[in-house]
Amino acid sequence: MDAQLTFGNPSVVEIDCSLFEIRGCELYVKREDLIHPYVSGNKFRKLKYNLEVAREQDHNTLLTFGGAFSNHIAAVAAAGKELHFKTIGIIRGEELSGKIVDNPTLSFARDYGMELCFVSREDYRQKEEEQFINNLRHQFGNFYLLPEGGTNALAVKGCEEILSETDISFDYICVPVGTGGTMAGLVKASSESQQVLGFSALKGSFQTAEIEKYTSKRNYSITDAYCFGGYGKIDIELVRFINEFKEKTNIPLDPIYTGKMMFGIMDLLKKGHFRENSRIFAIHTGGLQGIRGMNQKLKKKNLPIIE
């Protein structure tokens, strides 16, 4: 059976920076979020070659890891359903086992056929240890292992394909950063004359160590200045920016990754960080499924929601 997902072509959209009272540079967004309704953006790129290899090796089960609102968990579940793989998700936090129906990501994954296995945070930290993986094989049988977030060499290979030959004309490539796999692919595919700027969704720039596993290029940097306090954290300012950006451009942003990146790009533009007349290429990595879960959190705190 073919292990190819049905997908659409991402479009490149120019942003009218004057709408944000910014001049002096050109800004474009690659709408990777339009690739697939559920396996969008970098999740599609990371899974593409992994799914091909899984099928070549005659696997019929995919097992992976993630948290309560993981884009990766949702994407693997959807890909598995479309391509007829059984899927298993090892979920961080035993307390979530009774809250599936209230969690948009986990309920989506379950509805798309994923078997959810909840483990303690202590056990979850062992997810890369051989004994822990062997115990999972004893429990579930043989499976194709996808790491948390989906990053491995095949994933990086897929992410290299985000950039096309025509994208060489851009001076800066901007991307949200989680594990670092997507950025590694972009750095590998970039020209030495281009600067790749990563906007970390977490505190720190530890992802550099991951990127160095896959490329010796050094034409990149990572900032955590726009992580808004850490992974999954958000405030009213970011919500308002995301809503304003959608209203002015008709492009939705997720609050975990692309919203923070685009906020950072706009702030750096206003501060004159980019060379005058630069052409900036921002990668929309998808993740829009996370908006529902974030809005649940915002409502509980009586804060504005993402429209």
Side-chain angles (χ1 to χ4, degrees):
M1 184 181 295
D2 190 11
Q4 289 282 350
L5 288 164
T6 303
F7 64 94
N9 292 318
S11 60
V12 176
V13 180
E14 183 175 8
I15 303 300
D16 183 356
C17 289
S18 67
L19 295 173
F20 301 89
E21 300 180 357
I22 296 171
R23 289 172 175 79
C25 291
E26 296 178 21
L27 174 61
Y28 294 80
V29 176
K30 186 160 191 179
R31 297 287 308 274
E32 290 278 300
D33 58 303
L34 300 178
I35 288 178
H36 188 281
Y38 305 120
V39 193
S40 71
N42 62 337
K43 299 310 174 190
F44 170 86
R45 302 290 187 178
K46 289 181 175 183
L47 286 171
K48 177 182 175 181
Y49 290 111
N50 274 290
L51 294 176
E52 288 183 6
V53 170
R55 187 67 78 202
E56 289 170 3
Q57 296 178 354
D58 292 325
H59 286 283
N60 57 24
T61 301
L62 309 172
L63 182 143
T64 195
F65 306 88
F69 300 99
S70 167
N71 293 326
H72 175 66
I73 286 291
V76 171
K81 182 176 177 64
E82 183 169 326
L83 300 178
H84 308 287
F85 284 101
K86 178 182 177 181
T87 57
I88 300 166
I90 308 302
I91 308 300
R92 180 179 64 250
E94 291 174 305
E95 73 280 0
L96 296 170
S97 61
K99 302 177 181 178
I100 297 175
V101 70
D102 299 320
N103 182 294
T105 301
L106 297 180
S107 59
F108 173 90
R110 184 187 63 181
D111 292 346
Y112 271 68
M114 178 173 276
E115 180 179 351
L116 302 176
C117 176
F118 298 88
V119 300
S120 68
R121 282 164 169 75
E122 182 181 357
D123 286 345
Y124 191 86
R125 284 192 287 270
Q126 303 176 50
K127 62 185 178 296
E128 296 179 3
E129 296 183 12
E130 184 177 0
Q131 184 58 51
F132 186 71
I133 301 300
N134 288 339
N135 290 341
L136 290 175
R137 294 196 189 281
H138 180 75
Q139 180 178 354
F140 295 109
N142 196 23
F143 52 75
Y144 184 85
L145 179 66
L146 291 164
E148 181 183 42
T151 292
N152 58 17
L154 291 172
V156 172
K157 177 183 177 182
C159 290
E160 289 181 54
E161 297 178 356
I162 294 173
L163 294 183
S164 66
E165 291 183 4
T166 58
D167 300 333
I168 197 72
S169 64
F170 292 99
D171 302 297
Y172 296 91
I173 300 165
C174 298
V175 64
V177 183
T179 59
T182 303
M183 188 169 181
L186 290 169
V187 172
K188 285 190 72 176
S190 69
S191 163
E192 293 282 3
S193 64
Q194 295 176 307
Q195 285 295 311
V196 184
L197 179 55
F199 292 81
S200 180
L202 307 86
K203 287 184 178 180
S205 55
F206 57 91
Q207 301 96 332
T208 298
E210 185 70 17
I211 295 168
E212 289 175 348
K213 293 179 184 177
Y214 302 103
T215 179
S216 60
K217 288 183 179 178
R218 292 294 181 267
N219 59 326
Y220 68 90
S221 61
I222 299 174
T223 177
D224 67 350
Y226 304 98
C227 72
F228 285 82
Y231 183 77
K233 295 188 177 181
I234 190 173
D235 64 15
I236 293 177
E237 185 180 21
L238 183 57
V239 172
R240 287 174 177 163
F241 171 79
I242 289 171
N243 288 337
E244 178 191 15
F245 191 86
K246 184 180 179 182
E247 180 182 354
K248 292 181 176 180
T249 67
N250 200 34
I251 299 175
L253 303 173
D254 86 284
I256 308 298
Y257 293 104
T258 56
K260 294 180 177 182
M261 172 193 70
M262 197 57 64
F263 183 98
I265 291 172
M266 291 300 184
D267 188 59
L268 291 176
L269 280 167
K270 291 174 183 176
K271 292 177 176 177
H273 172 83
F274 300 101
R275 295 189 304 273
E276 192 171 358
N277 299 321
S278 292
R279 304 185 77 236
I280 302 162
F281 197 49
I283 311 300
H284 192 316
T285 55
L288 298 176
Q289 68 86 26
I291 292 176
R292 287 180 60 201
M294 181 59 73
N295 278 343
Q296 285 183 347
K297 290 184 176 182
L298 292 169
K299 285 179 181 178
K300 288 178 181 178
K301 296 180 180 179
N302 293 316
L303 295 173
I305 66 168
I306 299 167
E307 302 295 340

